[in-house]
Amino acid sequence: QVQLVESGGGSVQAGGSLTLSCVASGSTWYTRYCMGWFRQAPGKEREGVASVDSDGITQYGDSVKGRFTISKSGKNTFHLQMNTLQPEDTAMYYCAARGGYNCRFVPTDFAVWGQGTQVTVS
């Protein structure tokens, strides 16, 4: 079973940067996987932000392209580098994982979720 733990959230002024991390742990890990970052602001639907699959293919939501970068370090640690943050980026950010192919920004595709980390941009 896989567990995900996010860290790195906080408060920042507009134009600033933050890096979120997600550590995957557990007795098993997927041979093929999709790791995604999602965010959810109060009163809004959960939105896909970035994803990376086991082939290293990345995807980004339209609102963060050119500002956010997803990466992997070590075996099971994933990062989301967020630059030029804007107030509209304020949300709870979640990492999520699933096994298999076809990495999509569809929350119901993902079997495992972290507890979330808050990002506030003022």
Side-chain angles (χ1 to χ4, degrees):
Q1 183 150 356
V2 175
Q3 295 88 38
L4 303 176
V5 178
E6 303 101 332
S7 63
S11 297
V12 65
Q13 291 187 336
S17 299
L18 282 174
T19 299
L20 307 183
S21 297
C22 176
V23 178
S25 63
S27 58
T28 60
W29 182 243
Y30 308 108
T31 300
R32 298 197 63 86
Y33 62 83
C34 174
M35 172 65 75
W37 284 97
F38 290 79
R39 66 186 182 187
Q40 189 165 20
K44 294 189 176 181
E45 292 186 356
R46 193 160 293 192
E47 173 190 18
V49 175
S51 69
V52 59
D53 68 15
S54 46
D55 290 330
I57 296 171
T58 58
Q59 299 182 74
Y60 296 93
D62 289 341
S63 62
V64 306
K65 283 180 181 176
R67 300 188 298 124
F68 290 13
T69 303
I70 189 169
S71 63
K72 179 173 178 285
S73 66
K75 184 177 180 181
N76 294 338
T77 301
F78 299 85
H79 307 283
L80 184 68
Q81 173 68 41
M82 305 184 294
N83 296 326
T84 320
L85 284 161
Q86 300 300 317
E88 52 266 33
D89 295 315
T90 294
M92 185 71 79
Y93 282 71
Y94 300 89
C95 65
R98 55 156 290 183
Y101 297 86
N102 195 17
C103 202
R104 305 182 303 170
F105 285 143
V106 178
T108 52
D109 281 0
F110 290 80
V112 183
W113 291 82
Q115 81 287 352
T117 186
Q118 178 69 37
V119 172
T120 303
V121 185
S122 59

